[in-house]
Amino acid sequence: MSFKTTFWIRFSIFNLMLVALLGLIMRYKILFEFPLLDQKSLQHSHSHFAFAGWVTHTLITLLIAFLQKHDTFNKIAFKKYNLILIGNLICSYVMLISFIMQGYGAISITFSTLSIFVSYWFAYVFFKDCKQIETSFVATKWFKAALFFNVISSLGTFALAYMMATKNIHQNEYLASIYYYLHFQYNGWFFFACMGLLLDYLKVISNSNRIYSQSFIWLFWSCIAGYFLSTLWLDLPLLIYILTAISAIVQVVVWCLLFKTIFRENKFIFVNLPNYLKYLILFISFALSAKFLLQLGSTVPAISKLAFGFRPIIIAYLHLILLAIISLFLLFYIYVNDFISVNKKTILGLVLFSIGVVLNEVVLGIQGVASFSYTLIPFINEVLFGIAIMLFASILWTTFFTKKG
């Protein structure tokens, strides 16, 4: 049985639609009565399915497509990858339903644990199959680092499970474990995998420019040290704080150099993109730059206390990464590589979805800034609900008009 990228990518678009639907229901519950569903349980379902069913499923599919593209001598057996994706999807859909029905219960915990073991399985076979292709592709080491971060991020999950099982939960350790998992998912697994996909699309090889290999090294180690950016609300030892601040500075400097190099060497490719993809990659670049600058700003103690003290700020920041950077990049990559057929209707859906993402981030940012002074903005929840409708409707439109491959 061969591996059909388009078939699995259709699941990705459908799953993104389900993520948007859950977000819409959560926004609805803030404004109106809907007692049948618990908001906290919806939140758990939304986040777990967004990670496993949308981002991880899509990244695994695209990494397999990378192997397939470069397996010039047909050395790799792809049948096992279909089983891995089936396993991940089963876990994702069971988590989607079980978290809504029971929150953290026996079924949801079991299948969230199984999804971790599926990710271990994929990491093992991907590392093994990478030996069968050329070693000159810069993307390969970014992918390996991404999978390394995905594996170690699970330590945060197991720490949480241990605390819950022993009923020995301390607030600081509990939050530190959550942020550990989120950091190495967002800034490790998601970011490094997307960078690998971008560099492969641009056909960057290992001896083309030193900045690619040097930036990888600096970003890899600063990602590890950067975990403490998520724990600045703790009373960190001075040495760890200094290392954390240095890691934030390094990431800003390296990203500036890397962005400049990528744009300069590939200007012709970017300029000749269709307008809707050109707009997407420009916004993604802006959002990623903002993310690195916000990380650097968080090293200032006064700003850090404000940021971690207000929930709207945290929500805005997490959506900046997951929606404005990761989700839009994955859609960009899917469309620019023609993994699904493109027509005027799907392009319209993508453009409207991306506009919804921009509006969502702007409004969340305004809400977050207003929370500093405890200012209530009139009709802010109604506006966010309207944007949630737009996000869901646009990706539903895209799903409906995506033709079978």
Side-chain angles (χ1 to χ4, degrees):
M1 182 167 56
S2 61
F3 181 78
K4 297 181 179 178
T5 305
T6 298
F7 172 78
W8 294 111
I9 288 297
R10 285 177 59 80
F11 276 99
S12 295
I13 303 300
F14 176 75
N15 290 352
L16 177 58
M17 184 265 292
L18 293 179
V19 172
L21 175 60
L22 288 172
L24 174 60
I25 295 171
M26 289 167 64
R27 283 292 167 194
Y28 179 89
K29 275 185 67 65
I30 292 174
L31 289 173
F32 309 103
E33 288 292 326
F34 197 6
L36 290 176
L37 298 176
D38 177 72
Q39 185 78 337
K40 197 70 176 177
S41 297
L42 279 170
Q43 183 182 321
H44 291 316
S45 176
H46 176 70
S47 58
H48 280 82
F49 190 75
F51 277 46
W54 159 232
V55 179
T56 294
H57 169 80
T58 307
L59 287 176
I60 290 176
T61 301
L62 297 177
L63 265 62
I64 298 167
F66 164 81
L67 289 176
Q68 196 173 42
K69 180 170 71 173
H70 297 296
D71 181 30
T72 52
F73 298 104
N74 298 316
K75 293 181 179 180
I76 300 173
F78 286 93
K79 184 177 180 179
K80 59 183 176 292
Y81 287 114
N82 290 290
L83 297 176
I84 289 172
L85 284 167
I86 290 170
N88 182 68
L89 283 176
I90 289 172
C91 292
S92 300
Y93 290 130
V94 173
M95 284 192 289
L96 171 71
I97 298 169
S98 60
F99 272 111
I100 292 176
M101 300 299 292
Q102 62 178 197
Y104 272 101
I107 297 175
S108 57
I109 291 173
T110 297
F111 279 87
S112 59
T113 304
L114 286 174
S115 72
I116 292 172
F117 290 119
V118 170
S119 70
Y120 291 172
W121 181 15
F122 174 69
Y124 171 76
V125 295
F126 184 86
F127 268 73
K128 191 175 178 182
D129 285 340
C130 274
K131 297 176 183 177
Q132 307 298 326
I133 63 174
E134 285 286 337
T135 58
S136 60
F137 302 111
V138 168
T140 304
K141 60 184 178 182
W142 289 85
F143 293 148
K144 289 181 176 179
L147 290 168
F148 165 76
F149 288 128
N150 191 24
V151 169
I152 68 169
S153 72
S154 63
L155 296 176
T157 305
F158 290 133
L160 286 171
Y162 174 79
M163 281 185 267
M164 289 180 179
T166 59
K167 296 184 174 16
N168 186 23
I169 301 174
H170 298 285
Q171 184 70 4
N172 285 350
E173 288 83 352
Y174 178 79
L175 290 175
S177 297
I178 291 176
Y179 287 133
Y180 176 92
Y181 171 75
L182 290 175
H183 170 74
F184 286 114
Q185 284 282 301
Y186 278 114
N187 302 312
W189 165 223
F190 296 170
F191 173 72
F192 277 76
C194 288
M195 280 302 304
L197 291 170
L198 176 64
L199 295 175
D200 180 61
Y201 168 69
L202 298 175
K203 297 180 175 59
V204 176
I205 56 176
S206 57
N207 58 359
S208 61
N209 194 316
R210 283 191 311 167
I211 189 62
Y212 296 115
S213 57
Q214 291 175 345
S215 63
F216 169 79
I217 294 170
W218 284 107
L219 289 174
F220 179 87
W221 290 110
S222 63
C223 179
I224 294 175
Y227 161 62
F228 294 102
L229 286 166
S230 303
T231 61
L232 290 173
W233 41 273
L234 291 172
D235 187 17
L236 297 176
L238 180 60
L239 178 60
I240 292 180
Y241 172 77
I242 292 172
L243 289 174
T244 304
I246 291 172
S247 74
I249 295 169
V250 165
Q251 289 184 10
V252 170
V253 173
V254 171
W255 167 242
C256 288
L257 294 173
L258 186 57
F259 175 78
K260 182 179 177 182
T261 303
I262 289 173
F263 185 77
R264 184 180 66 246
E265 293 188 350
N266 302 279
K267 188 176 180 179
F268 178 79
I269 294 176
F270 293 126
V271 167
N272 286 280
L273 287 172
N275 286 333
Y276 73 103
L277 291 179
K278 197 183 300 180
Y279 147 76
L280 265 188
I281 200 66
L282 283 173
F283 177 72
I284 294 163
S285 301
F286 172 80
L288 185 55
S289 300
K291 178 252 187 188
F292 283 123
L293 289 172
L294 287 170
Q295 282 185 175
L296 180 59
S298 71
T299 60
V300 179
I303 296 176
S304 177
K305 286 181 180 179
L306 282 174
F308 285 105
F310 293 92
R311 182 176 171 79
I313 293 292
I314 297 173
I315 293 174
Y317 179 73
L318 293 178
H319 278 80
L320 172 69
I321 302 175
L322 187 62
L323 272 179
I325 299 172
I326 304 301
S327 292
L328 288 187
F329 175 80
L330 291 177
L331 289 170
F332 166 84
Y333 190 83
I334 287 168
Y335 278 83
V336 82
N337 285 284
D338 295 319
F339 285 129
I340 55 175
S341 16
V342 179
N343 54 56
K344 289 183 179 179
K345 291 178 179 178
T346 54
I347 290 174
L348 175 62
L350 178 64
V351 170
L352 289 175
F353 182 80
S354 60
I355 292 172
V357 170
V358 175
L359 292 175
N360 188 65
E361 197 54 43
V362 169
V363 176
L364 284 174
I366 292 171
Q367 186 183 38
V369 172
S371 67
F372 288 162
S373 58
Y374 299 97
T375 302
L376 292 177
I377 300 177
F379 305 109
I380 190 77
N381 288 320
E382 285 81 358
V383 172
L384 287 169
F385 177 61
I387 295 171
I389 293 174
M390 182 180 182
L391 288 169
F392 171 67
S394 58
I395 203 64
L396 176 64
W397 174 276
T398 301
T399 303
F400 183 77
F401 285 108
T402 296
K403 296 179 181 178
K404 293 184 179 180

